[in-house]
Amino acid sequence: GLPPEPKPNLPEPPPESRWIAVKLDEPCGGPLTRRRSTTDDPLETGARIDRDDSVSTSHRGAASFVTDGPVRILLDSNTAIRLAMREGGPLRVTLIMGRVLLETSSPVVVSTGMADASTDRGVLQLESDDLAATAIVVEGRASYRTTQGEVAIAAGQCSTARKDAKPSTPIGCDAP
C-alpha cells in the first residue's frame, strides 16, 4: 500500500479552555442544573462546566455561582446559559433564555440571540425573550451591539435590542 499522505503544517488554533471551574454561592433559591448532552445533573461546588454544557435554574427559584475568573453569575428562575472561555480572552456567556446578572472584575461578553453586551468590569444584567433583549448596567459601563449598530451604556442606564435593529438609545432605568 501507499504511505499515508503527509498532513499539512497548519497553525494550531487558539487554545480554548475545555472547562470552567465553578464555586456555588450559598443557596438563594432553587437548585442549579448542568445539562451535558442529554443528561441533567445537579451543579455542585468544584464542578467543571464544559463549553458544550448549559447551566439552568427551574421555576423554583434563582441561584448563583462564581467562576474561576472571578465572575459572579446570578441566574433568575427559568434561566439557562452556556459558558465559554478562550485562553487570554474574556468569559463568554450565552443567555439561552431568562435573566442573568453578572458581577465582574474582568472582561465578559454576554450574547443573546439579538445582541452582544460587553464590559471590562462592573455589574450587568441581561434579560431576553423571543422579541427583545434588554441590557441594564448597574455599575461600570458596557457596549451593546447588534448587526445594525452599537451603543454605550453607562451605570444606571438600559438599552433594548430587537432583531435586525440597532439597540435603543440608552435611557435611565432602575437598577435591579
Side-chain angles (χ1 to χ4, degrees), residues 98-120:
R99 180 171 39 207
V100 63
L101 181 91
L102 298 102
E103 299 173 357
T104 182
S105 57
S106 58
V108 172
V109 176
V110 183
S111 298
T112 69
M114 291 171 226
D116 292 345
S118 59
T119 186
D120 289 334

Side-chain angles (χ1 to χ4, degrees), residues 22 32 41 44 48 58-59 70 75 82-84 98 111 114 117 125 153 160 166-167 171:
V22 300
L32 278 167
D41 55 62
E44 299 171 348
R48 294 178 172 184
S58 71
H59 66 280
L75 303 178
R82 186 167 285 120
L83 303 174
S111 298
M114 291 171 226
Q125 176 180 299
I153 309 172
T160 299
K166 181 180 176 183
I171 58 171

Side-chain angles (χ1 to χ4, degrees), residues 60-157:
R60 289 183 281 195
S64 65
F65 62 95
V66 179
T67 69
D68 54 356
V71 177
R72 172 166 279 125
I73 300 175
L74 294 93
L75 303 178
D76 200 0
S77 59
N78 291 322
T79 296
I81 62 170
R82 186 167 285 120
L83 303 174
M85 183 177 284
R86 287 194 184 280
E87 189 68 37
L91 174 68
R92 300 188 70 78
V93 178
T94 301
L95 178 58
I96 300 166
M97 66 179 203
R99 180 171 39 207
V100 63
L101 181 91
L102 298 102
E103 299 173 357
T104 182
S105 57
S106 58
V108 172
V109 176
V110 183
S111 298
T112 69
M114 291 171 226
D116 292 345
S118 59
T119 186
D120 289 334
R121 65 175 37 95
V123 180
L124 176 65
Q125 176 180 299
L126 270 96
E127 183 171 356
S128 183
D129 61 28
D130 293 338
L131 301 175
T134 300
I136 300 171
V137 176
V138 181
E139 293 176 15
R141 299 183 64 77
S143 171
Y144 200 36
R145 175 183 325 190
T146 68
T147 57
Q148 303 300 311
E150 181 175 357
V151 296
I153 309 172
Q157 292 184 325

